[in-house]
Amino acid sequence: MSSLRFLSVPLLAMALAACGGSSDQMNADDAALFGEDAAAQSDAATAAAAPAAAPAPVQQTVEQVVLANDAVMVGSAVGADGAVSAAKSAYATSDTVYASVPVGGYPPGKEVAMYWFSSKGGSIKDERKPIPAGAKFVNFSLGKADGLVAGSYTAQADIDDNPVGMADFSVK
């Protein structure tokens, strides 16, 4: 008897096609006539033919960050306290560029990161240092051995993975 039900479904499909109906859809009268198995097969065929729903768009939020003008200083020398003592914005390829970040008010052990970027969009050097106890500044350096060549650069400082400042300079 169950083989007769499965044989009836293709016959129903042919009959519906001949009458201009869709073989993918079955109404309640057809389901009653041919049984629940045929209705389930018809529902499965309709679901398979339906287009998949598009995924929901991902909402991204951009957090505004305010950087202090003096949070990163670049220069050609560093003083005893770790601050840049000879600030300047243009260097030769043979120079070493120093950057200092004021860390007063941050607890010892927090991490200061310095990211050096070229105008070509690439990262030249990334450094991380913990804030020492009693420090007022943490300093970093970039030189010829690090890939310092003619061009424009940006030094970006983060404290505890939060941006605090940037400084631009050029090398000729």
Side-chain angles (χ1 to χ4, degrees):
M1 177 73 172
S2 67
S3 62
L4 181 60
R5 275 193 230 165
F6 291 118
L7 188 59
S8 300
V9 172
L11 291 174
L12 173 65
M14 288 188 333
L16 284 173
C19 296
S22 170
S23 63
D24 289 340
Q25 294 179 342
M26 181 179 286
N27 64 29
D29 293 337
D30 294 335
L33 180 63
F34 293 104
E36 291 179 20
D37 289 341
Q41 287 178 354
S42 177
D43 290 345
T46 301
V58 175
Q59 295 288 332
Q60 293 183 353
T61 58
V62 176
E63 186 176 322
Q64 184 176 6
V65 176
V66 178
L67 305 177
N69 291 337
D70 60 351
V72 177
M73 298 299 294
V74 292
S76 58
V78 177
D81 62 354
V84 165
S85 60
K88 65 183 207 177
S89 60
Y91 301 86
T93 57
S94 59
D95 289 343
T96 297
V97 180
Y98 295 95
S100 65
V101 180
V103 294
Y106 288 96
K110 291 274 187 186
E111 188 173 67
V112 180
M114 180 63 64
Y115 304 101
W116 303 89
F117 298 100
S118 76
S119 61
K120 296 175 183 149
S123 175
I124 302 299
K125 181 179 179 183
D126 297 348
E127 298 178 81
R128 294 180 175 276
K129 294 180 181 179
I131 299 173
K136 293 181 182 179
F137 296 90
V138 172
N139 62 63
F140 302 88
S141 64
L142 181 71
K144 188 173 186 170
D146 300 312
L148 189 64
V149 296
S152 298
Y153 293 85
T154 299
Q156 176 186 322
D158 291 5
I159 297 178
D160 202 26
D161 291 326
N162 294 306
V164 294
M166 297 169 69
D168 296 323
F169 62 96
S170 63
V171 177
K172 298 177 182 180

